[in-house]
PDB file of all heavy atoms in Angstrom:
ATOM      1  N   SER A   2     -23.792  55.071  -8.985  1.00  0.00           N
ATOM      2  CA  SER A   2     -23.299  54.218 -10.076  1.00  0.00           C
ATOM      3  C   SER A   2     -21.849  53.832  -9.848  1.00  0.00           C
ATOM      4  O   SER A   2     -21.410  52.737 -10.199  1.00  0.00           O
ATOM      5  CB  SER A   2     -23.446  54.946 -11.420  1.00  0.00           C
ATOM      6  OG  SER A   2     -22.705  56.166 -11.404  1.00  0.00           O
ATOM      7  N   ARG A   3     -21.056  54.752  -9.214  1.00  0.00           N
ATOM      8  CA  ARG A   3     -19.654  54.431  -8.939  1.00  0.00           C
ATOM      9  C   ARG A   3     -19.541  53.341  -7.881  1.00  0.00           C
ATOM     10  O   ARG A   3     -18.685  52.462  -7.973  1.00  0.00           O
ATOM     11  CB  ARG A   3     -18.918  55.688  -8.475  1.00  0.00           C
ATOM     12  CG  ARG A   3     -18.723  56.721  -9.571  1.00  0.00           C
ATOM     13  CD  ARG A   3     -17.954  57.916  -9.050  1.00  0.00           C
ATOM     14  NE  ARG A   3     -17.735  58.895 -10.102  1.00  0.00           N
ATOM     15  CZ  ARG A   3     -17.099  60.048  -9.929  1.00  0.00           C
ATOM     16  NH1 ARG A   3     -16.642  60.360  -8.689  1.00  0.00           N
ATOM     17  NH2 ARG A   3     -16.926  60.888 -10.937  1.00  0.00           N
ATOM     18  N   ILE A   4     -20.398  53.407  -6.882  1.00  0.00           N
ATOM     19  CA  ILE A   4     -20.390  52.382  -5.836  1.00  0.00           C
ATOM     20  C   ILE A   4     -20.769  51.032  -6.435  1.00  0.00           C
ATOM     21  O   ILE A   4     -20.164  49.994  -6.136  1.00  0.00           O
ATOM     22  CB  ILE A   4     -21.368  52.758  -4.705  1.00  0.00           C
ATOM     23  CG1 ILE A   4     -20.880  54.025  -4.005  1.00  0.00           C
ATOM     24  CG2 ILE A   4     -21.515  51.616  -3.709  1.00  0.00           C
ATOM     25  CD1 ILE A   4     -21.831  54.553  -2.937  1.00  0.00           C
ATOM     26  N   LEU A   5     -21.773  51.007  -7.324  1.00  0.00           N
ATOM     27  CA  LEU A   5     -22.187  49.772  -7.976  1.00  0.00           C
ATOM     28  C   LEU A   5     -21.076  49.215  -8.839  1.00  0.00           C
ATOM     29  O   LEU A   5     -20.819  48.005  -8.851  1.00  0.00           O
ATOM     30  CB  LEU A   5     -23.442  50.040  -8.814  1.00  0.00           C
ATOM     31  CG  LEU A   5     -23.989  48.827  -9.583  1.00  0.00           C
ATOM     32  CD1 LEU A   5     -24.384  47.714  -8.603  1.00  0.00           C
ATOM     33  CD2 LEU A   5     -25.188  49.239 -10.445  1.00  0.00           C
ATOM     34  N   LEU A   6     -20.366  50.111  -9.577  1.00  0.00           N
ATOM     35  CA  LEU A   6     -19.262  49.661 -10.429  1.00  0.00           C
ATOM     36  C   LEU A   6     -18.140  49.050  -9.594  1.00  0.00           C
ATOM     37  O   LEU A   6     -17.584  48.005  -9.946  1.00  0.00           O
ATOM     38  CB  LEU A   6     -18.726  50.848 -11.234  1.00  0.00           C
ATOM     39  CG  LEU A   6     -17.523  50.547 -12.162  1.00  0.00           C
ATOM     40  CD1 LEU A   6     -17.911  49.489 -13.184  1.00  0.00           C
ATOM     41  CD2 LEU A   6     -17.058  51.838 -12.846  1.00  0.00           C
ATOM     42  N   LEU A   7     -17.804  49.709  -8.460  1.00  0.00           N
ATOM     43  CA  LEU A   7     -16.760  49.180  -7.586  1.00  0.00           C
ATOM     44  C   LEU A   7     -17.159  47.824  -7.030  1.00  0.00           C
ATOM     45  O   LEU A   7     -16.342  46.898  -6.952  1.00  0.00           O
ATOM     46  CB  LEU A   7     -16.502  50.165  -6.441  1.00  0.00           C
ATOM     47  CG  LEU A   7     -15.437  49.765  -5.409  1.00  0.00           C
ATOM     48  CD1 LEU A   7     -14.081  49.608  -6.098  1.00  0.00           C
ATOM     49  CD2 LEU A   7     -15.349  50.791  -4.288  1.00  0.00           C
ATOM     50  N   PHE A   8     -18.429  47.652  -6.661  1.00  0.00           N
ATOM     51  CA  PHE A   8     -18.918  46.377  -6.137  1.00  0.00           C
ATOM     52  C   PHE A   8     -18.792  45.273  -7.173  1.00  0.00           C
ATOM     53  O   PHE A   8     -18.374  44.154  -6.872  1.00  0.00           O
ATOM     54  CB  PHE A   8     -20.388  46.547  -5.700  1.00  0.00           C
ATOM     55  CG  PHE A   8     -21.002  45.271  -5.182  1.00  0.00           C
ATOM     56  CD1 PHE A   8     -20.655  44.778  -3.924  1.00  0.00           C
ATOM     57  CD2 PHE A   8     -21.912  44.567  -5.968  1.00  0.00           C
ATOM     58  CE1 PHE A   8     -21.221  43.611  -3.463  1.00  0.00           C
ATOM     59  CE2 PHE A   8     -22.477  43.397  -5.502  1.00  0.00           C
ATOM     60  CZ  PHE A   8     -22.136  42.915  -4.241  1.00  0.00           C
ATOM     61  N   LEU A   9     -19.138  45.601  -8.433  1.00  0.00           N
ATOM     62  CA  LEU A   9     -19.052  44.606  -9.503  1.00  0.00           C
ATOM     63  C   LEU A   9     -17.606  44.207  -9.773  1.00  0.00           C
ATOM     64  O   LEU A   9     -17.318  43.054 -10.113  1.00  0.00           O
ATOM     65  CB  LEU A   9     -19.704  45.155 -10.779  1.00  0.00           C
ATOM     66  CG  LEU A   9     -21.218  45.343 -10.720  1.00  0.00           C
ATOM     67  CD1 LEU A   9     -21.722  46.026 -11.995  1.00  0.00           C
ATOM     68  CD2 LEU A   9     -21.924  43.992 -10.541  1.00  0.00           C
ATOM     69  N   LEU A  10     -16.685  45.151  -9.632  1.00  0.00           N
ATOM     70  CA  LEU A  10     -15.269  44.847  -9.849  1.00  0.00           C
ATOM     71  C   LEU A  10     -14.712  43.962  -8.744  1.00  0.00           C
ATOM     72  O   LEU A  10     -13.804  43.161  -8.968  1.00  0.00           O
ATOM     73  CB  LEU A  10     -14.454  46.145  -9.938  1.00  0.00           C
ATOM     74  CG  LEU A  10     -14.678  46.992 -11.192  1.00  0.00           C
ATOM     75  CD1 LEU A  10     -13.931  48.317 -11.066  1.00  0.00           C
ATOM     76  CD2 LEU A  10     -14.220  46.240 -12.450  1.00  0.00           C
ATOM     77  N   LEU A  11     -15.243  44.095  -7.536  1.00  0.00           N
ATOM     78  CA  LEU A  11     -14.737  43.326  -6.406  1.00  0.00           C
ATOM     79  C   LEU A  11     -15.283  41.905  -6.358  1.00  0.00           C
ATOM     80  O   LEU A  11     -14.673  41.022  -5.763  1.00  0.00           O
ATOM     81  CB  LEU A  11     -15.084  44.028  -5.087  1.00  0.00           C
ATOM     82  CG  LEU A  11     -14.299  45.312  -4.778  1.00  0.00           C
ATOM     83  CD1 LEU A  11     -14.856  45.954  -3.507  1.00  0.00           C
ATOM     84  CD2 LEU A  11     -12.811  45.000  -4.617  1.00  0.00           C
ATOM     85  N   ILE A  12     -16.428  41.661  -6.989  1.00  0.00           N
ATOM     86  CA  ILE A  12     -17.065  40.347  -6.928  1.00  0.00           C
ATOM     87  C   ILE A  12     -16.136  39.226  -7.401  1.00  0.00           C
ATOM     88  O   ILE A  12     -15.990  38.202  -6.722  1.00  0.00           O
ATOM     89  CB  ILE A  12     -18.388  40.337  -7.718  1.00  0.00           C
ATOM     90  CG1 ILE A  12     -19.461  41.092  -6.935  1.00  0.00           C
ATOM     91  CG2 ILE A  12     -18.842  38.906  -7.984  1.00  0.00           C
ATOM     92  CD1 ILE A  12     -20.789  41.181  -7.644  1.00  0.00           C
ATOM     93  N   PRO A  13     -15.438  39.324  -8.565  1.00  0.00           N
ATOM     94  CA  PRO A  13     -14.563  38.225  -9.001  1.00  0.00           C
ATOM     95  C   PRO A  13     -13.471  37.926  -7.984  1.00  0.00           C
ATOM     96  O   PRO A  13     -13.150  36.767  -7.726  1.00  0.00           O
ATOM     97  CB  PRO A  13     -13.978  38.751 -10.319  1.00  0.00           C
ATOM     98  CG  PRO A  13     -14.960  39.752 -10.809  1.00  0.00           C
ATOM     99  CD  PRO A  13     -15.492  40.401  -9.575  1.00  0.00           C
ATOM    100  N   GLY A  14     -12.861  38.960  -7.349  1.00  0.00           N
ATOM    101  CA  GLY A  14     -11.807  38.727  -6.367  1.00  0.00           C
ATOM    102  C   GLY A  14     -12.334  38.000  -5.150  1.00  0.00           C
ATOM    103  O   GLY A  14     -11.693  37.088  -4.630  1.00  0.00           O
ATOM    104  N   VAL A  15     -13.531  38.408  -4.665  1.00  0.00           N
ATOM    105  CA  VAL A  15     -14.128  37.737  -3.518  1.00  0.00           C
ATOM    106  C   VAL A  15     -14.445  36.296  -3.856  1.00  0.00           C
ATOM    107  O   VAL A  15     -14.206  35.374  -3.076  1.00  0.00           O
ATOM    108  CB  VAL A  15     -15.400  38.490  -3.066  1.00  0.00           C
ATOM    109  CG1 VAL A  15     -16.129  37.707  -1.984  1.00  0.00           C
ATOM    110  CG2 VAL A  15     -15.043  39.892  -2.591  1.00  0.00           C
ATOM    111  N   TYR A  16     -14.958  36.070  -5.074  1.00  0.00           N
ATOM    112  CA  TYR A  16     -15.340  34.719  -5.487  1.00  0.00           C
ATOM    113  C   TYR A  16     -14.120  33.816  -5.584  1.00  0.00           C
ATOM    114  O   TYR A  16     -14.106  32.690  -5.085  1.00  0.00           O
ATOM    115  CB  TYR A  16     -16.061  34.775  -6.837  1.00  0.00           C
ATOM    116  CG  TYR A  16     -16.388  33.403  -7.394  1.00  0.00           C
ATOM    117  CD1 TYR A  16     -17.473  32.677  -6.889  1.00  0.00           C
ATOM    118  CD2 TYR A  16     -15.614  32.828  -8.398  1.00  0.00           C
ATOM    119  CE1 TYR A  16     -17.769  31.417  -7.385  1.00  0.00           C
ATOM    120  CE2 TYR A  16     -15.892  31.584  -8.895  1.00  0.00           C
ATOM    121  CZ  TYR A  16     -16.981  30.875  -8.389  1.00  0.00           C
ATOM    122  OH  TYR A  16     -17.266  29.635  -8.884  1.00  0.00           O
ATOM    123  N   LEU A  17     -13.038  34.341  -6.209  1.00  0.00           N
ATOM    124  CA  LEU A  17     -11.827  33.529  -6.367  1.00  0.00           C
ATOM    125  C   LEU A  17     -11.216  33.206  -5.022  1.00  0.00           C
ATOM    126  O   LEU A  17     -10.719  32.108  -4.787  1.00  0.00           O
ATOM    127  CB  LEU A  17     -10.809  34.265  -7.253  1.00  0.00           C
ATOM    128  CG  LEU A  17     -11.172  34.350  -8.731  1.00  0.00           C
ATOM    129  CD1 LEU A  17     -10.139  35.203  -9.467  1.00  0.00           C
ATOM    130  CD2 LEU A  17     -11.272  32.961  -9.356  1.00  0.00           C
ATOM    131  N   SER A  18     -11.241  34.179  -4.088  1.00  0.00           N
ATOM    132  CA  SER A  18     -10.711  33.930  -2.751  1.00  0.00           C
ATOM    133  C   SER A  18     -11.490  32.824  -2.065  1.00  0.00           C
ATOM    134  O   SER A  18     -10.925  31.985  -1.365  1.00  0.00           O
ATOM    135  CB  SER A  18     -10.763  35.208  -1.931  1.00  0.00           C
ATOM    136  OG  SER A  18     -10.359  34.976  -0.611  1.00  0.00           O
ATOM    137  N   ALA A  19     -12.801  32.816  -2.267  1.00  0.00           N
ATOM    138  CA  ALA A  19     -13.641  31.809  -1.632  1.00  0.00           C
ATOM    139  C   ALA A  19     -13.390  30.427  -2.215  1.00  0.00           C
ATOM    140  O   ALA A  19     -13.653  29.411  -1.571  1.00  0.00           O
ATOM    141  CB  ALA A  19     -15.109  32.188  -1.790  1.00  0.00           C
ATOM    142  N   GLN A  20     -12.866  30.345  -3.456  1.00  0.00           N
ATOM    143  CA  GLN A  20     -12.623  29.063  -4.104  1.00  0.00           C
ATOM    144  C   GLN A  20     -11.191  28.560  -3.905  1.00  0.00           C
ATOM    145  O   GLN A  20     -10.841  27.493  -4.362  1.00  0.00           O
ATOM    146  CB  GLN A  20     -12.903  29.193  -5.608  1.00  0.00           C
ATOM    147  CG  GLN A  20     -14.311  29.615  -5.971  1.00  0.00           C
ATOM    148  CD  GLN A  20     -15.340  28.658  -5.418  1.00  0.00           C
ATOM    149  OE1 GLN A  20     -15.232  27.446  -5.601  1.00  0.00           O
ATOM    150  NE2 GLN A  20     -16.343  29.203  -4.739  1.00  0.00           N
ATOM    151  N   THR A  21     -10.361  29.325  -3.233  1.00  0.00           N
ATOM    152  CA  THR A  21      -8.963  28.958  -3.055  1.00  0.00           C
ATOM    153  C   THR A  21      -8.788  28.049  -1.834  1.00  0.00           C
ATOM    154  O   THR A  21      -9.435  28.254  -0.805  1.00  0.00           O
ATOM    155  CB  THR A  21      -8.102  30.225  -2.862  1.00  0.00           C
ATOM    156  OG1 THR A  21      -8.209  31.031  -4.028  1.00  0.00           O
ATOM    157  CG2 THR A  21      -6.644  29.856  -2.642  1.00  0.00           C
TER     158      THR A  21
END
Side-chain angles (χ1 to χ4, degrees):
S2 59
R3 290 182 179 179
I4 295 175
L5 179 61
L6 178 60
L7 179 61
F8 178 74
L9 292 174
L10 290 173
L11 288 175
I12 286 178
V15 173
Y16 175 78
L17 289 175
S18 175
Q20 301 302 310
T21 299

